[in-house]
């Protein structure tokens, strides 16, 4: 939640920061702001609303011959936690002495106590905003006595909660300082200047060389130099990493939305992710080294779509490995005093690797001595760094808030993990393992085949914008993927939606079905085709329309009430990778037909770093 960026260098910081904020807007978009440090002190432009409004403000400053400009600056895009979205609550925040400016991603839990202390201090600090973040700027000014690093250390020791901070001080105009705890921050270095940012895509245009800041490490950036310190002000040596993501991956590349671009990238993403476990490298090493025989229980824990990937994978693990798998929402798992021990393997699934609940679940698992294995997209993220084993999805940067390609990449890694565990525990022979892997390897081409039906999906979706409610049903693994279809639809189209196991309909939900309800029925389990089709008929006879997505031989003729989308044949266990593509495209086109802001759905943010 919230994206921060900062620049110090030879070039004008303003266009660099604005461009970086565009890449970070997925993290929050209810207000945006930028501050530069020039000859006359801080110049701040910030306001409620999307970044586009900030750009308009900057353009009018140019027209008025008062351009915002400077070689040191910080920027912020906000997802409000404390204090409503408003101009005054937008970042950057400047202390009341006008000495220190701050951008913050995170939550300061003890801000009220700190605020009261400052308000009642000798100099009676007066606060301008309702945010928790302003306390950082005020506190830093309070502590500042000629050395910004000392002030930052004192601030870090005083605040409780999570933070990634970019800090400028008027008395040290050649310095940009950053520090973090429990929220991500990278430091980018380029020929013309150095950067801080919440995420890599924000700096990719300028550099692929980054440092990942760890908790309670301080970065001090000058024009041609970056230094790191710990909280005792001792210098630290850090390893610079080279990012392999291309710059194109953070651009729309001609598509109207990132979401559509990311859906269309999936054949490549699946291929790269599958390859990554066979080519020498980190993923192969991890897969070879996890000793599944040492565990008698698997728990998968995650949030949102990543949780749905876990629910889907449960069917695969249980079928192939004959080991029982619990799937837990990370936000629940962290508080439930789970029955796990050193014989449990806890699998954490997270695109960002920074989801607060998933991090807490990981730490809970570790505190109970369970082994932890993560499936993560972002190299250098907290979950990737702290788990015992980490498999990386090769999805590249995912910009649209609604996940598509990262979800698909998570699924294939989970399939491969299950197949490998089944081999290691003797549940599959080498020959059977090869057959399963061949099925998985065939998925990218089948996804490509599916794209031939885009026009039909788009056309059908265009007839669905008027529904108030859409239900998704499936049985077994089709039910698992129905959960993801439903989540995708509701988050981007704002149409109410629920997913049910087909057999559950008659136990209550069917009372909601009436004339012109839409039910999306999934059917890739051939053995259960008859069952799901009779569910479909039950709702049709109560007035509903049915969109039937599946690969089973069908025996009901299409009608005004029943529309089919056929999927290429795939093994039942891996068929969710095909159904989900149709579900993503369906949701996308429903939302597109409603003219919604698909990449940035209201109230959401991509990286949920608060509880
Ligand atoms: C839905 C979506 C979210 C995320 C969830 C977990 O489209 O993107 O539900 O799946 O917030 O995020 P990560 O995977 O970053 O832990």
């Amino acid at each position: 939640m919230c994206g921060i960026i900062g620049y110090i260098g030879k070039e004008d910081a303003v266009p660099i920061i604005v461009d970086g904020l565009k890449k970070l807007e997925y993290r929050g978009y209810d207000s945006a702001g930028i501050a530069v440090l020039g000859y006359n002190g801080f110049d701040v432009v910030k306001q409620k609303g999307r970044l586009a409004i900030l750009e308009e403000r900057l353009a009018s400053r140019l027209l008025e011959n008062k351009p915002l400009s400077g070689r040191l600056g910080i920027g912020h895009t906000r997802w409000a936690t404390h204090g409503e979205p408003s101009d005054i609550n937008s970042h950057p925040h400047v202390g009341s002495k006008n000495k220190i400016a701050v951008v913050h991603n995170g939550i300061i839990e003890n801000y009220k106590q700190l605020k009261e202390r400052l308000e009642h201090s000798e100099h009676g600090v007066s606060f301008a905003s309702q945010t928790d973040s302003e306390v950082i700027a005020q506190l830093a000014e309070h502590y500042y006595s000629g050395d910004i690093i000392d002030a930052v250390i004192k601030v870090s020791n005083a605040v409780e909660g999570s933070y990634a901070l970019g800090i400028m001080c008027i008395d040290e105009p050649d310095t940009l300082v950053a520090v973090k705890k429990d929220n991500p921050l990278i430091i980018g270095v380029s020929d013309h200047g150095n950067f801080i940012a919440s995420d890599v895509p924000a700096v990719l245009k300028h550099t692929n060389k980054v440092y990942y800041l760890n908790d309670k490490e301080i970065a001090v950036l000058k024009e041609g130099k970056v230094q790191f310190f710990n909280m005792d002000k001792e210098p630290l040596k850090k390893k610079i990493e080279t990012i392999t993501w291309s710059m194109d991956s953070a651009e729309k590349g001609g598509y109207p939305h990132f979401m559509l671009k990311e859906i269309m990238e999936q054949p490549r993403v699946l291929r790269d992710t599958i390859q990554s476990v066979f080519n020498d490298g980190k993923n192969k090493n991890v897969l070879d080294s996890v000793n599944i025989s040492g565990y008698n229980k698997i728990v998968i824990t995650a949030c949102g779509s990543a949780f749905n990937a876990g629910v889907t994978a449960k069917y695969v693990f249980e079928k192939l490995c004959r080991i029982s798998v619990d799937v837990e929402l990370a936000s629940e798992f962290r508080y439930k005093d789970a029955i796990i021990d050193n014989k449990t393997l806890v699998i954490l699934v997270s695109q960002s690797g920074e989801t607060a609940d998933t991090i807490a679940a990981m730490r809970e698992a570790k505190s109970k001595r369970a082994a932890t294995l993560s499936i993560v997209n972002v190299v250098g993220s907290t979950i990737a760094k702290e788990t015992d084993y980490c498999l990386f999805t090769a999805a590249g940067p995912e910009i649209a808030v609604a996940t598509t390609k990262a979800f698909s990449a998570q699924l294939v890694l989970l399939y491969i993990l299950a197949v490998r565990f089944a081999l290691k525990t003797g549940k599959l022979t080498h020959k059977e393992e090869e057959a399963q892997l061949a099925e998985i390897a065939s998925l990218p081409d089948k996804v490509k085949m599916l794209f031939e039906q885009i026009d039909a999906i788009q056309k059908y979706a265009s007839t669905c914008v008027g529904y108030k409610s859409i239900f998704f049903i499936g049985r077994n693994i089709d039910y698992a993927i129905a959960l993801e279809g439903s989540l995708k639809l509701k988050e981007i189209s704002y149409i109410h939606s629920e997913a049910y196991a087909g057999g559950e309909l008659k136990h209550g939900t069917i009372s909601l079905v009436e004339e012109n309800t839409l039910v999306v029925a999934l059917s890739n389990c051939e053995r259960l085709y008859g069952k799901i089709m009779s569910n479909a008929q039950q709702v049709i006879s109560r007035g509903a329309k049915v969109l039937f997505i599946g690969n089973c031989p069908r025996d009901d003729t299409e009608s005004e009430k029943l529309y089919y989308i056929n999927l290429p044949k795939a093994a039942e266990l891996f068929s969710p990778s095909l159904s989900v593509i149709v579900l993503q495209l369906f949701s996308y086109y429903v939302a597109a037909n409603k003219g919604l802001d698909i990449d940035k759905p209201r109230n959401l943010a991509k990286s949920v770093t608060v509880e």
Side-chain angles (χ1 to χ4, degrees), residues 217-236:
E217 288 180 349
I218 300 168
V220 179
L221 289 75
K222 312 254 178 195
E223 188 186 299
K225 185 162 96 175
V226 179
Q227 293 168 291
F228 299 97
F229 298 92
N230 64 17
M231 286 288 148
D232 295 321
K233 216 178 166 184
E234 293 161 344
L236 296 172

Side-chain angles (χ1 to χ4, degrees), residues 456-472 489 493-497 516-520 545-549 560-561 563 565 585-594 596:
I457 298 168
Q458 182 173 10
K459 203 166 156 209
Y460 188 82
S462 70
T463 66
C464 298
V465 292
Y467 287 111
K468 293 257 174 314
S469 200
I470 297 182
F471 297 102
F472 289 75
L489 181 83
S493 75
Y494 313 150
I495 294 177
H496 168 259
S497 165
N516 274 331
T517 305
L518 180 65
V519 177
V520 180
K545 287 192 175 169
V546 170
L547 169 61
F548 204 94
I549 303 170
E560 199 249 319
K561 293 274 187 193
Y563 185 79
I565 292 178
L585 285 165
F586 173 70
S587 302
Y588 172 80
Y589 284 116
V590 171
N593 275 290
K594 289 181 82 173
L596 297 173

Side-chain angles (χ1 to χ4, degrees), residues 520-558:
V520 180
L522 295 158
S523 169
N524 287 291
C525 306
E526 201 164 333
R527 62 205 164 92
L528 296 172
Y529 168 79
K531 305 273 180 209
I532 201 75
M533 183 47 91
S534 58
N535 291 141
Q537 292 302 353
Q538 285 157 13
V539 294
I540 286 173
S541 59
R542 283 158 181 84
K545 287 192 175 169
V546 170
L547 169 61
F548 204 94
I549 303 170
N551 65 13
C552 308
R554 57 198 217 193
D555 47 20
D556 289 65
T557 43
E558 228 170 55

Side-chain angles (χ1 to χ4, degrees), residues 420-447:
R420 186 54 61 89
F421 283 180
L423 177 79
K424 284 189 180 175
T425 53
K427 301 291 184 309
L428 287 181
T429 62
H430 276 287
K431 214 162 157 219
E432 286 163 337
E433 184 215 16
E434 267 174 34
Q436 297 287 353
L437 292 177
E439 282 287 347
I440 297 170
S442 72
L443 291 170
D445 284 339
K446 290 179 181 167
V447 172

Side-chain angles (χ1 to χ4, degrees), residues 138-430:
Q138 302 288 13
L139 206 55
E141 284 190 348
H142 176 76
Y143 287 134
Y144 186 75
S145 58
D147 186 330
I148 188 65
I149 305 178
D150 289 340
V152 168
I153 291 173
K154 285 183 180 153
V155 169
S156 298
N157 290 333
V159 297
E160 288 163 17
S162 61
Y163 50 85
L165 300 173
I167 302 168
M168 304 189 292
C169 176
I170 217 155
D171 293 344
E172 303 187 35
D174 61 344
T175 308
L176 169 62
V177 182
V179 64
K180 68 150 248 158
K181 180 180 163 274
D182 291 339
N183 271 323
L185 203 57
I186 59 122
I187 310 299
V189 291
S190 82
D191 294 343
H192 63 78
N194 298 319
F195 307 79
I196 63 165
S198 298
D199 199 359
V200 170
V203 303
L204 220 43
K205 196 167 173 180
H206 305 277
T207 181
N208 65 351
K209 301 277 184 238
V210 304
Y211 295 97
Y212 291 99
L213 212 57
N214 290 322
D215 282 355
K216 296 264 189 166
E217 288 180 349
I218 300 168
V220 179
L221 289 75
K222 312 254 178 195
E223 188 186 299
K225 185 162 96 175
V226 179
Q227 293 168 291
F228 299 97
F229 298 92
N230 64 17
M231 286 288 148
D232 295 321
K233 216 178 166 184
E234 293 161 344
L236 296 172
K237 271 203 161 31
K238 287 186 70 72
K239 194 170 146 246
I240 199 156
E241 311 269 349
T242 303
I243 302 295
T244 52
W245 290 353
S246 74
M247 210 180 87
D248 298 351
S249 52
E251 305 289 340
K252 274 192 206 150
Y255 286 95
H257 298 101
F258 277 110
M259 184 176 174
L260 185 57
K261 175 183 176 240
E262 290 164 3
I263 291 173
M264 299 308 287
E265 280 173 3
Q266 290 179 101
R268 181 194 57 73
V269 165
L270 291 182
R271 196 166 298 117
D272 289 354
T273 304
I274 294 165
Q275 275 306 321
S276 73
V277 291
F278 299 112
N279 296 342
D280 279 341
K282 278 188 190 151
N283 277 5
K284 182 173 184 302
N285 292 342
V286 166
L287 213 63
D288 290 344
S289 57
V290 187
N291 176 21
I292 183 63
S293 310
Y295 310 110
N296 54 25
K297 183 174 176 182
I298 294 177
V299 177
I300 304 177
T301 180
C303 302
S305 292
F307 170 80
N308 294 340
V311 178
T312 313
K314 172 183 166 78
Y315 288 89
V316 185
F317 276 99
E318 292 190 342
K319 179 80 186 164
L320 294 180
C321 309
R322 309 308 297 157
I323 180 168
S324 101
V325 176
D326 293 341
V327 189
E328 306 266 8
L329 290 164
S331 53
E332 291 294 312
F333 179 83
R334 62 184 292 185
Y335 293 119
K336 72 172 265 193
D337 192 12
I339 305 168
I340 54 171
D341 57 21
N342 62 351
K343 292 265 174 273
T344 312
L345 177 65
V346 175
I347 301 178
L348 300 121
V349 187
S350 176
Q351 186 283 130
S352 62
E354 298 293 350
T355 299
D357 285 321
T358 315
I359 291 175
M362 168 189 72
R363 291 182 181 157
E364 169 70 8
K366 286 176 88 80
S367 76
K368 292 191 159 160
R369 296 184 304 123
T372 51
L373 182 154
S374 58
I375 293 186
V376 170
N377 195 40
V378 179
V379 177
S381 58
T382 304
I383 294 175
K385 281 191 293 205
E386 290 188 22
T387 39
D388 301 321
Y389 307 97
C390 177
L391 290 170
F392 287 104
T393 44
E398 192 178 58
I399 311 287
V401 164
T403 183
T404 53
K405 60 177 180 170
F407 174 86
S408 290
Q410 289 162 357
L411 268 190
V412 292
L413 277 185
L414 285 161
Y415 300 157
I416 294 171
L417 200 57
V419 170
R420 186 54 61 89
F421 283 180
L423 177 79
K424 284 189 180 175
T425 53
K427 301 291 184 309
L428 287 181
T429 62
H430 276 287

